[in-house]
Coordinates of all heavy atoms in Angstrom, one line a residue:
M1 N 39.3 11.8 -6.5 CA 38.4 12.8 -6.7 C 37.0 12.2 -7.1 O 37.0 11.3 -7.9 CB 38.9 13.8 -7.8 CG 37.9 14.9 -8.0 SD 38.6 16.2 -9.2 CE 37.3 16.9 -9.7
S2 N 36.0 12.7 -6.4 CA 34.6 12.1 -6.7 C 34.0 12.8 -7.9 O 34.1 14.0 -8.0 CB 33.8 12.1 -5.4 OG 33.2 13.5 -5.4
N3 N 33.4 12.0 -8.7 CA 32.6 12.5 -9.8 C 31.2 12.0 -9.7 O 30.9 10.8 -9.8 CB 33.3 12.1 -11.1 CG 32.7 12.9 -12.2 OD1 31.6 13.5 -12.2 ND2 33.4 13.0 -13.4
I4 N 30.3 12.9 -9.3 CA 28.9 12.6 -9.1 C 28.0 13.0 -10.3 O 28.2 14.1 -10.8 CB 28.5 13.3 -7.7 CG1 29.2 12.8 -6.6 CG2 27.0 13.1 -7.5 CD1 29.2 13.6 -5.4
K5 N 27.1 12.1 -10.7 CA 26.1 12.4 -11.6 C 24.7 12.4 -11.0 O 24.5 11.5 -10.1 CB 26.1 11.3 -12.7 CG 27.4 11.4 -13.6 CD 27.4 12.7 -14.5 CE 28.8 12.7 -15.3 NZ 28.9 14.0 -16.0
V6 N 23.8 13.3 -11.6 CA 22.6 13.4 -11.0 C 21.5 12.9 -12.0 O 21.5 13.4 -13.1 CB 22.1 14.7 -10.4 CG1 20.7 14.8 -9.8 CG2 23.2 15.1 -9.3
I7 N 20.4 12.2 -11.7 CA 19.3 11.9 -12.6 C 18.2 12.7 -11.9 O 17.7 12.3 -10.9 CB 19.1 10.4 -12.7 CG1 20.3 9.7 -13.5 CG2 17.8 10.2 -13.5 CD1 20.1 8.2 -13.6
S8 N 17.6 13.7 -12.6 CA 16.5 14.3 -12.1 C 15.2 13.6 -12.6 O 15.0 13.4 -13.7 CB 16.5 15.8 -12.7 OG 17.5 16.5 -12.2
L9 N 14.5 13.2 -11.6 CA 13.3 12.4 -12.0 C 12.1 13.1 -12.2 O 12.0 14.3 -11.6 CB 13.1 11.4 -10.8 CG 14.2 10.4 -10.6 CD1 13.9 9.6 -9.3 CD2 14.4 9.5 -11.7
P10 N 11.1 12.7 -12.9 CA 9.9 13.5 -13.3 C 8.8 13.5 -12.3 O 9.0 12.6 -11.2 CB 9.5 13.0 -14.6 CG 9.8 11.4 -14.4 CD 11.2 11.5 -13.7
E11 N 7.7 14.2 -12.2 CA 6.7 14.2 -11.3 C 6.1 12.7 -11.2 O 5.8 12.3 -10.0 CB 5.5 15.1 -11.7 CG 5.9 16.5 -11.4 CD 4.7 17.5 -11.7 OE1 3.6 17.1 -11.8 OE2 4.9 18.6 -11.8
R12 N 6.0 12.1 -12.2 CA 5.6 10.5 -12.3 C 6.6 9.7 -12.7 O 6.9 9.5 -13.9 CB 4.3 10.4 -13.3 CG 3.1 11.1 -12.9 CD 1.9 10.8 -13.9 NE 1.7 9.4 -13.9 CZ 0.9 8.7 -13.0 NH1 0.2 9.4 -12.0 NH2 0.6 7.4 -13.2
F13 N 7.2 9.0 -11.8 CA 8.3 8.1 -11.9 C 7.7 6.6 -12.0 O 7.5 6.1 -11.1 CB 9.3 8.2 -10.8 CG 10.5 7.3 -10.9 CD1 11.0 6.8 -12.1 CD2 11.2 7.0 -9.7 CE1 12.1 6.0 -12.2 CE2 12.4 6.2 -9.8 CZ 12.7 5.7 -11.1
D14 N 7.4 6.3 -13.2 CA 6.6 5.1 -13.5 C 7.1 4.4 -14.8 O 8.1 4.8 -15.3 CB 5.0 5.3 -13.5 CG 4.6 6.4 -14.6 OD1 5.5 6.5 -15.5 OD2 3.6 6.7 -14.5
F15 N 6.4 3.3 -15.1 CA 6.8 2.5 -16.2 C 7.1 3.3 -17.6 O 8.0 3.0 -18.3 CB 5.8 1.3 -16.5 CG 6.1 0.5 -17.7 CD1 7.0 -0.5 -17.6 CD2 5.5 0.8 -19.1 CE1 7.5 -1.2 -18.8 CE2 5.9 0.0 -20.1 CZ 6.8 -1.0 -19.9
Y16 N 6.3 4.4 -17.7 CA 6.4 5.1 -18.9 C 7.7 5.9 -18.9 O 8.1 6.5 -20.1 CB 5.2 6.1 -19.1 CG 3.9 5.3 -19.2 CD1 3.1 5.2 -18.1 CD2 3.6 4.5 -20.5 CE1 2.0 4.4 -18.3 CE2 2.5 3.9 -20.6 CZ 1.7 3.7 -19.4 OH 0.6 2.8 -19.6
Y17 N 8.4 6.1 -17.8 CA 9.7 6.8 -17.7 C 10.9 5.8 -18.0 O 12.1 6.2 -18.0 CB 9.8 7.5 -16.4 CG 11.0 8.4 -16.3 CD1 11.1 9.6 -17.2 CD2 12.0 8.3 -15.5 CE1 12.2 10.4 -17.1 CE2 13.2 9.1 -15.4 CZ 13.1 10.2 -16.2 OH 14.2 11.0 -16.1
H18 N 10.6 4.5 -18.0 CA 11.5 3.4 -18.1 C 12.6 3.6 -19.1 O 13.9 3.6 -18.8 CB 10.9 2.1 -18.3 CG 11.8 1.0 -18.3 ND1 12.3 0.5 -19.4 CD2 12.4 0.2 -17.3 CE1 13.2 -0.6 -19.1 NE2 13.3 -0.6 -17.8
K19 N 12.3 3.9 -20.4 CA 13.2 4.1 -21.4 C 14.2 5.2 -21.2 O 15.4 5.1 -21.4 CB 12.4 4.3 -22.8 CG 13.2 4.1 -23.9 CD 12.4 4.1 -25.2 CE 13.3 3.8 -26.5 NZ 12.4 3.7 -27.7
K20 N 13.7 6.3 -20.7 CA 14.5 7.6 -20.5 C 15.4 7.3 -19.4 O 16.5 7.6 -19.4 CB 13.6 8.7 -20.2 CG 14.4 10.1 -19.6 CD 14.7 10.9 -20.9 CE 15.3 12.3 -20.3 NZ 16.8 12.2 -20.2
F21 N 14.9 6.6 -18.2 CA 15.7 6.5 -17.0 C 16.9 5.4 -17.3 O 17.9 5.7 -17.1 CB 14.8 5.9 -16.0 CG 15.5 5.5 -14.7 CD1 15.8 6.5 -13.8 CD2 15.7 4.2 -14.4 CE1 16.5 6.2 -12.6 CE2 16.5 3.8 -13.1 CZ 16.7 5.0 -12.3
T22 N 16.5 4.4 -18.2 CA 17.5 3.4 -18.5 C 18.6 4.0 -19.3 O 19.7 3.8 -19.1 CB 16.9 2.3 -19.2 OG1 15.8 1.6 -18.2 CG2 17.8 1.1 -19.4
S23 N 18.2 4.8 -20.3 CA 19.3 5.3 -21.2 C 20.1 6.3 -20.5 O 21.4 6.5 -20.7 CB 18.6 6.0 -22.4 OG 17.9 7.1 -22.1
D24 N 19.5 7.1 -19.5 CA 20.2 8.2 -18.7 C 21.4 7.4 -17.9 O 22.6 7.8 -17.9 CB 19.4 8.9 -17.8 CG 18.6 9.9 -18.4 OD1 18.8 10.2 -19.7 OD2 17.7 10.6 -17.9
Y25 N 20.9 6.4 -17.2 CA 21.9 5.7 -16.2 C 22.9 4.9 -17.0 O 24.1 4.8 -16.6 CB 21.1 5.0 -15.0 CG 20.6 3.6 -15.3 CD1 21.6 2.5 -15.5 CD2 19.3 3.3 -15.1 CE1 21.0 1.2 -15.6 CE2 18.8 2.1 -15.2 CZ 19.7 1.0 -15.5 OH 19.1 -0.3 -15.7
Q26 N 22.4 4.2 -18.1 CA 23.4 3.4 -18.8 C 24.5 4.2 -19.5 O 25.7 3.9 -19.4 CB 22.8 2.7 -19.9 CG 21.9 1.4 -19.5 CD 21.2 0.6 -20.5 OE1 20.9 1.1 -21.5 NE2 21.0 -0.7 -20.3
E27 N 24.2 5.5 -19.7 CA 25.3 6.4 -20.4 C 26.2 6.7 -19.2 O 27.4 6.7 -19.4 CB 24.6 7.7 -20.9 CG 25.6 8.7 -21.5 CD 24.8 9.9 -21.9 OE1 23.7 9.7 -22.5 OE2 25.5 11.0 -21.9
M28 N 25.7 7.1 -18.1 CA 26.5 7.4 -16.8 C 27.4 6.2 -16.5 O 28.6 6.5 -16.1 CB 25.7 7.8 -15.7 CG 24.9 9.1 -15.9 SD 23.9 9.4 -14.5 CE 23.1 10.9 -15.0
L29 N 26.9 5.0 -16.6 CA 27.8 3.9 -16.2 C 28.9 3.6 -17.1 O 29.9 2.9 -16.7 CB 26.8 2.6 -16.0 CG 25.8 2.5 -15.0 CD1 24.9 1.4 -14.9 CD2 26.4 2.7 -13.5
T30 N 28.8 4.2 -18.3 CA 30.0 3.9 -19.3 C 31.1 4.9 -19.0 O 32.2 4.7 -19.5 CB 29.5 4.1 -20.8 OG1 29.1 5.4 -20.9 CG2 28.4 3.1 -21.0
L31 N 30.8 6.0 -18.2 CA 31.9 6.9 -17.9 C 32.8 6.6 -16.8 O 32.4 6.3 -15.7 CB 31.2 8.3 -17.6 CG 30.3 8.8 -18.6 CD1 29.5 10.2 -17.9 CD2 30.9 9.2 -19.8
P32 N 34.0 6.3 -17.2 CA 35.1 5.8 -16.1 C 35.3 6.7 -14.9 O 35.6 6.2 -13.8 CB 36.3 5.6 -16.9 CG 36.2 6.4 -18.1 CD 34.7 6.7 -18.4
E33 N 35.0 7.9 -15.0 CA 35.2 8.8 -13.9 C 34.1 8.9 -12.9 O 34.2 9.4 -11.8 CB 35.6 10.2 -14.4 CG 34.3 11.0 -15.0 CD 34.1 10.7 -16.5 OE1 34.8 9.8 -17.0 OE2 33.3 11.5 -17.1
V34 N 33.0 8.3 -13.3 CA 31.7 8.4 -12.3 C 31.9 7.5 -11.2 O 32.2 6.3 -11.5 CB 30.5 8.1 -13.1 CG1 29.3 8.1 -12.1 CG2 30.2 9.2 -14.1
N35 N 31.7 7.9 -10.0 CA 31.7 7.0 -8.8 C 30.6 7.1 -7.8 O 30.4 6.3 -7.0 CB 33.1 7.2 -8.0 CG 33.3 8.6 -7.5 OD1 32.2 9.3 -7.3 ND2 34.4 8.8 -7.0
H36 N 29.6 8.0 -8.3 CA 28.3 8.1 -7.4 C 27.3 8.7 -8.3 O 27.5 9.6 -9.2 CB 28.7 9.1 -6.3 CG 27.4 9.1 -5.3 ND1 27.2 8.0 -4.4 CD2 26.5 9.9 -5.2 CE1 26.2 8.4 -3.7 NE2 25.6 9.5 -4.1
I37 N 26.1 7.9 -8.1 CA 24.9 8.6 -9.0 C 23.8 8.9 -8.0 O 23.5 8.1 -7.0 CB 24.3 7.4 -9.9 CG1 25.4 7.1 -11.0 CG2 23.1 7.8 -10.6 CD1 25.0 6.0 -12.0
I38 N 23.1 10.0 -8.0 CA 22.1 10.5 -7.1 C 20.9 10.5 -8.0 O 20.8 11.0 -9.1 CB 22.4 11.9 -6.6 CG1 23.8 11.9 -5.8 CG2 21.3 12.5 -5.8 CD1 24.2 13.4 -5.4
L39 N 19.8 10.0 -7.4 CA 18.4 10.1 -7.9 C 17.8 11.3 -7.3 O 17.5 11.3 -6.0 CB 17.7 8.9 -7.8 CG 18.2 7.6 -8.5 CD1 17.3 6.4 -8.2 CD2 18.4 7.8 -9.9
D40 N 17.5 12.3 -8.0 CA 16.8 13.6 -7.4 C 15.4 13.3 -7.5 O 14.7 13.4 -8.5 CB 17.3 14.7 -8.3 CG 16.7 16.1 -7.7 OD1 16.0 16.0 -6.7 OD2 17.1 17.1 -8.2
F41 N 14.7 13.1 -6.4 CA 13.3 12.9 -6.1 C 12.5 14.3 -5.8 O 11.4 14.2 -5.6 CB 13.1 12.0 -5.1 CG 13.1 10.5 -5.6 CD1 14.3 9.8 -5.5 CD2 12.0 9.8 -5.8 CE1 14.3 8.5 -5.9 CE2 11.9 8.6 -6.1 CZ 13.1 7.8 -6.3
S42 N 13.1 15.4 -6.0 CA 12.6 16.6 -5.5 C 11.2 17.0 -6.2 O 10.3 17.6 -5.7 CB 13.5 17.8 -5.6 OG 14.0 18.0 -6.9
R43 N 11.1 16.5 -7.5 CA 9.9 16.7 -8.2 C 8.9 15.6 -8.2 O 7.8 15.8 -8.6 CB 10.2 17.1 -9.7 CG 11.0 18.3 -9.9 CD 11.2 18.6 -11.4 NE 11.6 17.6 -12.1 CZ 11.6 17.5 -13.4 NH1 11.0 18.3 -14.1 NH2 12.0 16.3 -14.0
V44 N 9.3 14.4 -7.7 CA 8.5 13.2 -7.8 C 7.3 13.4 -6.9 O 7.3 13.5 -5.7 CB 9.3 11.9 -7.5 CG1 8.3 10.8 -7.5 CG2 10.4 11.8 -8.5
L45 N 6.0 13.3 -7.5 CA 4.8 13.1 -6.6 C 4.2 11.7 -6.6 O 3.5 11.4 -5.7 CB 3.8 14.2 -7.4 CG 4.1 15.6 -7.4 CD1 3.1 16.5 -8.2 CD2 4.5 16.1 -6.1
Y46 N 4.5 10.9 -7.6 CA 4.1 9.6 -7.9 C 5.1 8.7 -8.3 O 6.0 9.0 -9.1 CB 2.9 9.6 -8.8 CG 2.4 8.3 -9.1 CD1 1.5 7.6 -8.3 CD2 2.9 7.6 -10.3 CE1 1.0 6.3 -8.6 CE2 2.5 6.4 -10.6 CZ 1.6 5.7 -9.8 OH 1.0 4.4 -10.0
L47 N 5.3 7.5 -7.6 CA 6.1 6.5 -8.2 C 5.4 5.1 -7.9 O 4.6 5.0 -7.0 CB 7.5 6.4 -7.6 CG 7.7 6.0 -6.1 CD1 9.1 5.4 -6.1 CD2 7.6 7.2 -5.2
D48 N 5.7 4.1 -8.9 CA 5.0 2.9 -8.7 C 6.1 1.7 -8.6 O 7.2 1.9 -8.5 CB 4.1 2.6 -9.9 CG 4.7 2.5 -11.3 OD1 6.0 2.4 -11.3 OD2 4.1 2.4 -12.2
S49 N 5.5 0.5 -8.6 CA 6.4 -0.6 -8.4 C 7.5 -0.8 -9.5 O 8.6 -1.2 -9.3 CB 5.7 -1.9 -8.2 OG 4.9 -2.1 -9.4
S50 N 7.2 -0.4 -10.6 CA 8.1 -0.5 -11.8 C 9.3 0.5 -11.5 O 10.4 0.2 -11.9 CB 7.6 -0.2 -13.2 OG 7.1 1.1 -13.3
A51 N 9.0 1.6 -10.9 CA 10.1 2.6 -10.6 C 11.0 2.1 -9.5 O 12.1 2.2 -9.7 CB 9.4 3.9 -9.9
L52 N 10.4 1.3 -8.5 CA 11.2 0.6 -7.6 C 12.1 -0.4 -8.2 O 13.3 -0.5 -7.8 CB 10.3 -0.1 -6.4 CG 9.5 1.0 -5.7 CD1 8.5 0.3 -4.8 CD2 10.3 1.9 -4.8
G53 N 11.6 -1.1 -9.2 CA 12.2 -2.2 -9.9 C 13.5 -1.5 -10.6 O 14.7 -2.1 -10.7
M54 N 13.2 -0.4 -11.2 CA 14.2 0.2 -12.0 C 15.5 0.7 -11.0 O 16.5 0.7 -11.4 CB 13.7 1.5 -12.7 CG 12.8 1.2 -13.9 SD 12.2 2.6 -14.8 CE 10.7 3.0 -14.0
M55 N 15.0 1.2 -9.9 CA 16.0 1.7 -8.9 C 16.8 0.5 -8.6 O 18.0 0.6 -8.3 CB 15.3 2.2 -7.6 CG 14.6 3.5 -7.8 SD 13.8 4.2 -6.4 CE 15.2 4.6 -5.4
V56 N 16.3 -0.7 -8.2 CA 17.0 -1.8 -7.8 C 18.1 -2.3 -9.0 O 19.2 -2.6 -8.6 CB 16.0 -3.1 -7.4 CG1 16.9 -4.4 -7.3 CG2 15.3 -2.8 -6.2
L57 N 17.5 -2.3 -10.2 CA 18.3 -2.6 -11.3 C 19.5 -1.6 -11.4 O 20.7 -2.0 -11.6 CB 17.5 -2.6 -12.6 CG 18.1 -3.4 -13.8 CD1 18.5 -4.7 -13.5 CD2 17.2 -3.2 -14.9
L58 N 19.2 -0.4 -11.3 CA 20.3 0.6 -11.4 C 21.4 0.3 -10.4 O 22.5 0.3 -10.5 CB 19.8 2.0 -11.2 CG 20.9 3.1 -11.0 CD1 22.1 3.2 -12.0 CD2 20.2 4.5 -10.7
H59 N 20.9 0.2 -9.0 CA 21.8 -0.2 -7.9 C 22.6 -1.3 -8.2 O 23.9 -1.3 -8.0 CB 21.0 -0.3 -6.7 CG 21.8 -0.7 -5.5 ND1 22.7 0.0 -4.9 CD2 22.1 -2.0 -4.9 CE1 23.4 -0.6 -3.9 NE2 22.9 -1.8 -3.9
R60 N 22.0 -2.4 -8.7 CA 22.9 -3.7 -9.0 C 23.9 -3.4 -10.0 O 25.0 -3.9 -9.9 CB 21.9 -4.7 -9.4 CG 21.2 -5.4 -8.4 CD 20.4 -6.6 -8.9 NE 19.5 -7.2 -7.8 CZ 18.4 -7.8 -8.0 NH1 18.0 -7.9 -9.2 NH2 17.6 -8.2 -7.0
K61 N 23.6 -2.7 -11.1 CA 24.6 -2.6 -12.2 C 25.6 -1.5 -11.7 O 26.8 -1.7 -12.0 CB 23.9 -1.9 -13.3 CG 22.9 -3.0 -14.2 CD 22.3 -2.4 -15.3 CE 21.4 -3.4 -15.9 NZ 21.7 -3.8 -17.3
A62 N 25.2 -0.5 -10.9 CA 26.2 0.5 -10.3 C 27.1 -0.3 -9.4 O 28.5 -0.1 -9.5 CB 25.5 1.5 -9.8
Q63 N 26.7 -1.1 -8.6 CA 27.4 -1.9 -7.5 C 28.6 -2.7 -8.3 O 29.6 -2.8 -7.7 CB 26.5 -2.7 -6.7 CG 27.1 -3.2 -5.4 CD 26.1 -4.0 -4.6 OE1 25.3 -4.7 -5.0 NE2 26.2 -3.7 -3.2
E64 N 28.1 -3.4 -9.4 CA 29.1 -4.1 -10.2 C 30.3 -3.3 -10.6 O 31.4 -3.8 -10.7 CB 28.4 -4.8 -11.4 CG 27.4 -5.9 -11.1 CD 26.6 -6.3 -12.2 OE1 26.9 -5.9 -13.5 OE2 25.7 -7.1 -12.1
L65 N 30.1 -2.1 -10.8 CA 31.1 -1.1 -11.3 C 31.8 -0.3 -10.0 O 32.5 0.8 -10.3 CB 30.6 -0.2 -12.4 CG 30.1 -0.9 -13.5 CD1 29.3 0.1 -14.5 CD2 31.2 -1.6 -14.3
H66 N 31.3 -0.7 -8.9 CA 31.8 0.0 -7.6 C 31.4 1.6 -7.6 O 32.2 2.4 -7.2 CB 33.3 -0.1 -7.5 CG 33.8 -1.5 -7.6 ND1 33.5 -2.4 -6.6 CD2 34.5 -2.2 -8.5 CE1 33.9 -3.7 -6.9 NE2 34.6 -3.5 -8.1
I67 N 30.1 1.7 -8.1 CA 29.6 3.1 -8.1 C 28.5 3.0 -7.0 O 27.7 2.2 -7.0 CB 29.0 3.4 -9.6 CG1 30.1 3.5 -10.5 CG2 28.3 4.7 -9.4 CD1 29.6 3.6 -12.0
S68 N 28.5 4.1 -6.1 CA 27.6 4.2 -5.1 C 26.3 4.9 -5.7 O 26.4 5.6 -6.5 CB 28.1 4.8 -3.9 OG 28.6 6.2 -4.1
T69 N 25.2 4.7 -4.9 CA 23.9 5.2 -5.3 C 23.3 5.9 -4.2 O 23.3 5.4 -3.0 CB 22.9 4.2 -6.0 OG1 22.8 3.2 -5.1 CG2 23.4 3.8 -7.3
S70 N 22.6 7.1 -4.4 CA 21.7 7.7 -3.4 C 20.6 8.3 -4.0 O 20.5 8.5 -5.1 CB 22.5 8.7 -2.6 OG 22.9 9.8 -3.5
A71 N 19.5 8.5 -3.0 CA 18.3 9.2 -3.5 C 18.2 10.4 -2.6 O 18.4 10.3 -1.3 CB 17.1 8.3 -3.2
K72 N 17.8 11.5 -3.2 CA 17.7 12.8 -2.4 C 16.4 13.5 -2.8 O 15.9 13.3 -3.9 CB 18.9 13.7 -2.5 CG 19.0 14.4 -3.8 CD 20.0 15.5 -3.7 CE 19.9 16.4 -5.0 NZ 20.6 17.5 -5.1
G73 N 16.0 14.3 -1.7 CA 14.8 15.1 -2.0 C 13.4 14.5 -2.0 O 12.5 15.2 -2.3
A74 N 13.4 13.2 -1.7 CA 12.0 12.6 -1.7 C 11.1 13.1 -0.6 O 11.7 13.5 0.5 CB 12.2 11.1 -1.5
H75 N 9.8 13.3 -0.9 CA 9.0 14.0 0.1 C 7.6 13.4 0.0 O 7.3 12.7 -1.1 CB 8.9 15.5 0.0 CG 8.7 15.9 -1.4 ND1 7.3 16.1 -2.0 CD2 9.4 16.2 -2.6 CE1 7.4 16.5 -3.2 NE2 8.6 16.5 -3.5
G76 N 6.7 13.6 1.0 CA 5.4 13.1 0.8 C 5.3 11.6 0.5 O 5.9 10.7 1.1
Q77 N 4.4 11.4 -0.5 CA 4.0 9.9 -0.8 C 5.2 9.2 -1.3 O 5.4 8.1 -0.9 CB 2.9 9.9 -1.8 CG 2.5 8.5 -2.2 CD 1.4 8.4 -3.4 OE1 1.4 9.4 -4.1 NE2 0.6 7.4 -3.3
A78 N 6.1 9.9 -2.2 CA 7.3 9.4 -2.6 C 8.2 8.9 -1.6 O 8.7 7.7 -1.6 CB 8.0 10.2 -3.6
N79 N 8.4 9.6 -0.5 CA 9.1 9.3 0.5 C 8.6 8.1 1.4 O 9.4 7.2 1.7 CB 9.5 10.4 1.5 CG 10.5 10.2 2.5 OD1 11.6 9.8 2.1 ND2 10.1 10.6 3.8
E80 N 7.3 8.1 1.6 CA 6.6 7.0 2.3 C 6.9 5.7 1.5 O 7.1 4.6 2.0 CB 5.2 7.3 2.4 CG 4.8 8.2 3.4 CD 3.4 8.6 3.5 OE1 2.6 7.6 3.2 OE2 3.0 9.8 3.7
I81 N 6.7 5.7 0.2 CA 6.9 4.4 -0.7 C 8.3 4.0 -0.6 O 8.5 2.8 -0.4 CB 6.4 4.8 -2.1 CG1 4.9 4.9 -2.1 CG2 6.9 3.6 -3.0 CD1 4.3 5.5 -3.6
L82 N 9.3 4.9 -0.6 CA 10.8 4.5 -0.5 C 10.9 3.7 0.8 O 11.7 2.8 0.9 CB 11.6 5.7 -0.8 CG 11.6 6.2 -2.2 CD1 12.6 7.6 -2.2 CD2 12.1 5.2 -3.3
D83 N 10.3 4.3 1.8 CA 10.6 3.8 3.2 C 9.8 2.5 3.3 O 10.4 1.5 3.8 CB 9.9 4.8 4.2 CG 10.2 4.4 5.6 OD1 11.3 4.1 5.8 OD2 9.3 4.6 6.5
I84 N 8.6 2.3 2.8 CA 7.9 1.0 2.9 C 8.7 -0.1 2.2 O 8.7 -1.3 2.6 CB 6.4 1.3 2.4 CG1 5.7 2.1 3.4 CG2 5.8 -0.1 2.2 CD1 4.4 2.5 2.8
A85 N 9.2 0.4 0.9 CA 10.0 -0.6 0.2 C 11.4 -1.0 0.7 O 12.1 -1.6 0.1 CB 10.0 0.0 -1.3
N86 N 11.8 -0.3 1.8 CA 13.1 -0.5 2.4 C 14.3 -0.1 1.6 O 15.3 -0.7 1.5 CB 13.2 -1.9 2.9 CG 12.6 -2.2 4.1 OD1 12.4 -1.4 5.2 ND2 11.9 -3.4 4.3
M87 N 14.1 0.9 0.7 CA 15.0 1.3 -0.2 C 16.3 1.8 0.5 O 17.5 1.9 -0.1 CB 14.5 2.4 -1.2 CG 13.7 1.9 -2.4 SD 14.8 0.9 -3.4 CE 13.6 0.2 -4.5
Q88 N 16.2 2.2 1.9 CA 17.4 2.8 2.5 C 18.4 1.5 2.8 O 19.5 1.7 3.1 CB 16.9 3.3 3.9 CG 16.3 2.3 4.9 CD 14.9 1.9 4.7 OE1 14.2 2.3 3.7 NE2 14.3 1.2 5.8
K89 N 18.0 0.3 2.5 CA 18.9 -0.8 2.5 C 19.8 -0.9 1.5 O 20.9 -1.4 1.6 CB 18.1 -2.2 2.6 CG 17.4 -2.3 4.1 CD 16.7 -3.7 4.1 CE 16.1 -3.9 5.4 NZ 15.5 -5.1 5.6
I90 N 19.5 -0.3 0.3 CA 20.4 -0.3 -0.8 C 20.8 1.1 -1.4 O 21.9 1.2 -1.9 CB 19.9 -1.1 -2.1 CG1 18.5 -0.6 -2.6 CG2 19.7 -2.6 -1.7 CD1 18.1 -1.2 -3.8
Y91 N 20.1 2.2 -1.0 CA 20.3 3.5 -1.4 C 20.6 4.3 -0.2 O 20.1 4.1 0.9 CB 19.1 4.1 -2.1 CG 19.1 3.9 -3.6 CD1 18.6 2.6 -4.1 CD2 19.5 4.8 -4.5 CE1 18.5 2.4 -5.3 CE2 19.5 4.5 -5.9 CZ 19.0 3.3 -6.3 OH 19.0 3.0 -7.6
I92 N 21.6 5.2 -0.3 CA 21.8 6.2 0.7 C 20.6 7.2 0.5 O 20.5 7.8 -0.6 CB 23.1 7.0 0.5 CG1 24.3 6.0 0.5 CG2 23.4 8.1 1.5 CD1 25.5 6.4 -0.1
I93 N 19.8 7.3 1.6 CA 18.7 8.3 1.4 C 19.0 9.7 2.1 O 19.3 9.7 3.2 CB 17.3 7.7 2.1 CG1 17.0 6.3 1.6 CG2 16.2 8.7 1.9 CD1 16.6 6.3 0.1
E94 N 19.1 10.7 1.3 CA 19.5 12.1 1.7 C 18.3 12.9 2.1 O 17.3 12.8 1.3 CB 20.4 12.7 0.7 CG 21.6 11.9 0.4 CD 22.5 12.5 -0.7 OE1 22.3 13.7 -0.9 OE2 23.3 11.8 -1.1

């Protein structure tokens, strides 16, 4: 049975969100039943390189625990940045 957790991202996904993002995903990674984490980009209007770095770090830590990751709801500039950064190579983009 799949157990999916969702992280709802803010309008500005940047360095200032690092602490909250890290604590959210670290808590999820400790739950043995979790096998997929979705990053909900539906509210994101801006993201920077530190956000991309946080995504890569989450993906690596999740992969070590055999947890898959995806990003959904990205639009506009956020979607373009994910595309330019080739995030589709490590994240399932929905």
Side-chain angles (χ1 to χ4, degrees):
M1 183 174 153
S2 78
N3 195 336
I4 298 169
K5 292 289 183 188
V6 177
I7 297 176
S8 293
L9 300 171
E11 284 185 18
R12 288 186 62 87
F13 182 24
D14 58 17
F15 178 77
Y16 299 102
Y17 190 67
H18 180 265
K19 194 171 185 177
K20 169 95 172 91
F21 181 74
T22 303
S23 69
D24 284 353
Y25 81 66
Q26 284 179 337
E27 182 180 327
M28 290 176 185
L29 294 177
T30 64
L31 303 172
E33 68 274 10
V34 173
N35 62 14
H36 188 77
I37 295 175
I38 297 172
L39 298 182
D40 180 358
F41 272 83
S42 58
R43 295 187 310 159
V44 178
L45 301 176
Y46 171 84
L47 69 147
D48 65 5
S49 59
S50 66
L52 297 173
M54 290 184 265
M55 289 178 68
V56 170
L57 195 57
L58 165 58
H59 172 74
R60 285 185 183 152
K61 291 181 184 240
Q63 197 173 36
E64 289 171 7
L65 299 169
H66 308 289
I67 297 171
S68 57
T69 54
S70 65
K72 74 168 191 175
H75 53 89
Q77 183 186 27
N79 191 47
E80 286 177 33
I81 292 169
L82 293 176
D83 189 43
I84 291 166
N86 283 321
M87 280 297 176
Q88 69 278 9
K89 290 185 175 182
I90 60 171
Y91 274 81
I92 300 161
I93 307 290
E94 299 173 21

